[in-house]
Amino acid sequence: MVQEILSTDVCDLGPGYLHACLLPEQEIQHAFSVALSRYGPAALTYGHNWGALPYRSALARRLTQTTGVRHYPENLVLTPGTSQALDTLISKVARPGDTVLVESPTYDLALKIFRHRGLRIHAVERDPHGLVPSALEDAIETIRAKGGTPAFCYLIPTFHNPTGALTPPDRRTEILTIARRHTLLLVEDDAYADLYLDGVPPPPSLAALSGFRDVVQLGTFSKSVAPGLRLGWLAASTEFCEGLAARGVAISGGSSNPIPSLALTEMLRSGSYEHHLTTLRIQLAEHRDILVDTLRKALPEDFIVRRPGGGFFTWVTLPGDFREREAVAAARNAGVIVAPGSRFGAATPEIRLAFSAHSPDDIHKAARSLGSAWQKRK
Ligand SMILES: Cc1ncc(COP(=O)(O)O)c(C=O)c1O
């Protein structure tokens, strides 16, 4: 963050955002300038309450191409990013006291949003392939048997935060089948879908597989372009989108961030977004490999250091005799800040390391310090 400056001898591998060297500053500057010339004063008026049509059309075209499933502008509402979209969504589909089902572990700040809105949280088991379908079914039945209301299930099937795992197509279909059987809304957080790092795009989203039935998908440009744009989208059935666009706040103030959305439209139309992604994937893969290879070289085999196929994070399982608290303290003494797994609800000692927020040299240095601190644990 611009606002936060750490001492230069500390490397913080906690936060999941892009290092300044990965932000496409010039492309964004150019896109704003083109958008302002193209739309003139129209760009400066209130935004359409669904979000600008050029933005939703360009996005629908791209999502149709990448998923192979037809998307229409009427399936998309502009959002100011996933965090705000989650908050808005809760106000539409849940009431305080309702329960949200989440994967265990999951994105910690989503939990904060849910708690802040007065939702109860029910953690559902994950395995290396994602949410466990039978555990989801048990959880729904248990909550209902106790008179509770499961408002929705929040999940990250693609390059999951914090584990980096990818849910395969079969598992996606099983999850959809159970959700449908129990009329449970799925909220799919797809923040990392464009950031596949080994040349293999992820399987179709739950939203695409279901044709938007009982699934709301949240996308964001925070991870693939820049979080300062505050720009994303919500993909759902037309009826669901109509309901969102008809909220008083959307009618009164229009959509958020019309100008950034028009600039991003230029990036989508001109091919500059795809071009940027191609470079970004190569850079992130290099960051990931430096982190993973350096740690694997330094650490004994009872540390499991995963190499995710995409996203921002490496998930490390610590040996049974090494407590999370000790690992975090040893890292801190070596000048490296790490994110403890318990922050995300992990029940076993695990650590999340972000490879997105530092230069390759700094990642290498931090990984060497971390490796030597952790291997001395006994
Ligand atoms: C899974 C996930 N969802 C959402 C966000 C936040 O997205 P946004 O900046 O669009 O609010 C993050 C950021 O860390 C994330 O990891």
Side-chain angles (χ1 to χ4, degrees):
M1 270 180 271
V2 184
Q3 297 85 346
E4 200 177 319
I5 296 171
L6 275 175
S7 142
T8 47
D9 48 9
V10 172
C11 184
D12 189 354
L13 297 182
Y17 46 70
L18 291 174
H19 183 253
C21 71
L22 301 174
L23 299 171
E25 198 184 325
Q26 285 181 1
E27 290 90 327
I28 292 176
Q29 214 171 68
H30 180 70
F32 268 82
S33 157
V34 175
L36 284 168
S37 314
R38 187 192 295 273
Y39 297 100
L44 306 177
T45 60
Y46 280 109
H48 188 281
N49 44 347
W50 285 65
L53 184 59
Y55 173 71
R56 290 182 297 115
S57 301
L59 207 50
R61 254 194 314 276
R62 178 167 197 276
L63 290 168
T64 301
Q65 274 161 12
T66 54
T67 63
V69 172
R70 188 104 198 134
H71 286 62
Y72 298 91
E74 295 74 26
N75 296 122
L76 298 166
V77 176
L78 179 153
T79 71
T82 293
S83 310
Q84 276 96 338
L86 271 176
D87 197 61
T88 301
L89 192 68
I90 293 167
S91 69
K92 182 164 160 56
V93 302
R95 284 186 301 189
D98 285 355
T99 302
V100 52
L101 296 135
V102 300
E103 301 165 288
S104 176
T106 193
Y107 173 45
D108 56 334
L109 301 181
L111 295 175
K112 268 201 201 302
I113 297 170
F114 301 147
R115 288 202 183 100
H116 194 79
R117 281 284 184 173
L119 299 184
R120 292 170 210 268
I121 291 169
H122 189 111
V124 181
E125 184 190 346
R126 264 187 72 90
D127 68 13
H129 300 302
L131 193 69
V132 174
S134 59
L136 175 63
E137 185 146 49
D138 288 349
I140 300 167
E141 284 168 358
T142 305
I143 294 162
R144 288 198 175 135
K146 289 185 182 161
T149 307
F152 60 93
C153 173
Y154 167 77
L155 69 174
I156 313 166
T158 302
F159 310 131
H160 176 249
N161 180 1
T163 66
L166 185 67
T167 299
D170 290 2
R171 177 66 66 88
R172 290 176 190 236
T173 308
E174 282 179 80
I175 293 169
L176 278 171
T177 306
I178 286 173
R180 192 158 292 165
R181 190 184 305 145
H182 292 274
T183 16
L184 178 74
L185 176 69
L186 297 176
V187 175
E188 177 180 29
D189 184 338
D190 227 7
Y192 298 96
D194 278 343
L195 299 177
Y196 51 91
L197 305 182
D198 295 318
V200 187
S205 63
L206 296 173
L209 284 172
S210 73
F212 306 111
R213 212 177 115 201
D214 307 324
V215 181
V216 170
Q217 181 205 30
L218 300 175
T220 179
F221 289 106
S222 288
K223 307 299 170 183
S224 57
V225 184
L229 293 171
R230 301 315 305 142
L231 194 63
W233 71 90
L234 180 150
S237 66
T238 300
E239 192 190 2
F240 195 92
C241 293
E242 277 167 350
L244 283 174
R247 286 168 310 130
V249 67
I251 293 169
S252 168
S255 82
S256 330
N257 305 336
I259 303 178
S261 77
L262 294 173
L264 209 288
T265 305
E266 292 306 320
M267 288 183 71
L268 290 169
R269 275 191 184 149
S270 67
S272 132
Y273 179 64
E274 295 306 330
H275 183 76
H276 156 70
L277 274 183
T278 305
T279 313
L280 181 61
R281 288 181 190 126
I282 294 168
Q283 290 169 311
L284 282 173
E286 186 200 353
H287 287 213
R288 173 199 63 184
D289 292 344
I290 290 171
L291 180 63
V292 171
D293 293 342
T294 311
L295 282 175
R296 283 186 179 170
K297 209 160 128 197
L299 292 170
E301 277 181 3
D302 50 359
F303 282 81
I304 303 168
V305 181
R306 294 176 185 80
R307 191 187 309 270
F312 283 0
F313 309 110
T314 297
W315 185 241
V316 179
T317 301
L318 302 171
D321 59 350
F322 196 22
R323 288 207 210 113
E324 177 193 279
R325 198 152 30 96
E326 289 163 4
V328 172
R332 191 70 182 81
N333 288 337
V336 184
I337 300 176
V338 299
S342 57
R343 184 186 293 172
F344 310 93
T348 44
E350 268 146 330
I351 300 287
R352 189 192 78 175
L353 304 173
F355 49 80
S356 55
H358 293 278
S359 67
D361 280 353
D362 287 347
I363 293 173
H364 187 231
K365 230 167 83 191
R368 282 214 336 234
S369 306
L370 202 53
S372 91
W374 281 354
Q375 61 156 318
K376 283 193 231 130
R377 74 186 194 280
K378 283 183 188 157

